[in-house]
Structures are given as structure tokens and as C-alpha cells.
Amino acid sequence: MKAGLLLLSGGSGTRMGAPKHALAHPGGGSWGGHLVRVFATVFPNGPVQVLGDPLPDHPDLPCLEDPREGPAVALRTWAGLESPAQVDHWWIVACDQVRWTPQRLRAWARVGEASDPRSSFWVMALHGGHLQPLGGWLPDGFRPQLAASTERSLHALASRLPHLAIQSDGAEWLDVDTPGERQVWERELS
């Protein structure tokens, strides 16, 4: 699978007191930078795009404007732009999904490739009974359908496109959205 990373970094981070993409990661760098490192470990030559604000530890990465109307509108806007590289799938991930590790991403990539070898579906996790579009594998060929959509809800957008829901119970699907969740996650790391 030839993969690219689309990192969503446009959230305001009001519950965390600062934008999540720029928060300090216990392993070094920022939360957004951690996800870039995870992706680059598994896909060293894969293109990376940041949709939203630039990362403090990766200011050289291409940064696209986020209209600040939620992830569905951000994805629709991104999809209307020309694709920067030949990729089969984009790993669409938000900066609060900081539990990803190279091992977990490598395993998820194998699941995605085995489940959708022809890049015909948005491969998403079904975690705790909930569909998880973020963290999923979005075929590059879906860009025209995304760009033409008028959906403002990420789940409605994902549900209307051909998709596969793969049962996955890993902790990587748990967002870190509040200071309390951040403390729990940081304790897990130590």
C-alpha cells in the first residue's frame, strides 16, 4: 500500500487550554509531531500534509487551510485540492489520537491492505460500537466524492461513502480530549 498522512490540526483545543497539535508529547516534540514520526517510521517515503495549523516541530510540512467548520468540512475542502502525490490511501488522523505507535499503525495498515486491496472503501475501525472515520484509510480516489458532498457531519459523510467497518479494540482509537484524559494517558506511558 502506498500511503499518505493527512493530519488534522485545526482544532482550537479550548478544553485542553491550548491547541492539541502543539502540546508537548512526553516522548519529545509535539502531539502532531509524534503522529508524523509514527507515520514516517512505517511509511518513510509517504507524503504528509497538515490540514490546519503548522506543527511547531515540523514547520516545513505542507500546511493547508482549514475552514474551521469541523472535520467533515475540512476533509471536503482538502478533497477539492489537487493530490500532491500518487498514493493509494490516506491515513486521516487527528492530533488528539496520540496513542498511536509504529507497531499499531503497521498492524492497522496490514488490516487495511488485506481488507481493501483495490482501494474501494474507506476502511474504518468499529471501536466500542462506534464508527471511527479518523484513523481510517481513505482511498485517494474518493476525493471527487468528498469534494462534491454537502455533509457537515463527519459520521454522515463517512456513512454515505463506501466503507468497511473493522472491529478494533485498541487503545489507539481513544482520543485525548480533556486534561483528565491527558493525565491518564501520560501515566500509561510512564
Side-chain angles (χ1 to χ4, degrees):
M1 171 191 330
K2 185 160 184 190
L5 166 61
L6 181 64
L7 181 64
L8 280 62
S9 67
S12 62
T14 52
R15 287 180 285 182
M16 297 298 283
K20 294 176 192 172
H21 72 278
L23 292 172
H25 190 280
S30 67
W31 282 19
H34 165 74
L35 291 164
V36 169
R37 288 188 303 276
V38 166
F39 178 78
T41 299
V42 179
F43 298 100
N45 298 314
V48 175
Q49 288 189 316
V50 177
L51 182 55
D53 296 325
L55 304 180
D57 44 344
H58 292 280
D60 55 319
L61 289 174
C63 204
L64 307 169
E65 188 67 31
D66 180 347
R68 311 280 180 187
E69 296 178 43
V73 175
L75 283 175
R76 288 175 20 215
T77 302
W78 165 80
L81 303 172
E82 186 176 335
S83 187
Q86 280 289 101
V87 300
D88 301 319
H89 289 88
W90 290 90
W91 184 43
I92 310 292
V93 67
C95 287
D96 58 7
Q97 294 179 294
V98 290
R99 286 184 166 93
W100 283 98
T101 65
Q103 296 79 14
R104 289 177 175 159
L105 179 57
R106 194 172 287 113
W108 179 235
R110 284 193 296 268
V111 167
E113 190 167 20
S115 302
D116 185 26
R118 293 192 178 106
S119 302
S120 303
F121 299 97
W122 189 343
V123 178
M124 303 177 221
L126 187 63
H127 183 266
H130 300 284
L131 196 61
Q132 301 288 327
L134 298 180
W137 296 107
L138 177 68
D140 190 66
F142 279 26
R143 291 171 78 106
Q145 293 166 276
L146 279 171
S149 175
T150 58
E151 292 294 347
R152 300 187 65 77
S153 157
L154 181 60
H155 286 281
L157 178 66
S159 297
R160 284 186 170 71
L161 292 170
H163 65 277
L164 294 175
I166 309 293
Q167 184 65 43
S168 182
D169 298 322
E172 61 271 15
W173 301 106
L174 300 174
D175 297 347
V176 178
D177 286 328
T178 66
E181 290 172 355
R182 182 181 183 184
Q183 289 174 347
V184 169
W185 165 63
E186 289 179 346
R187 277 196 303 269
E188 289 170 4
L189 294 177
S190 56

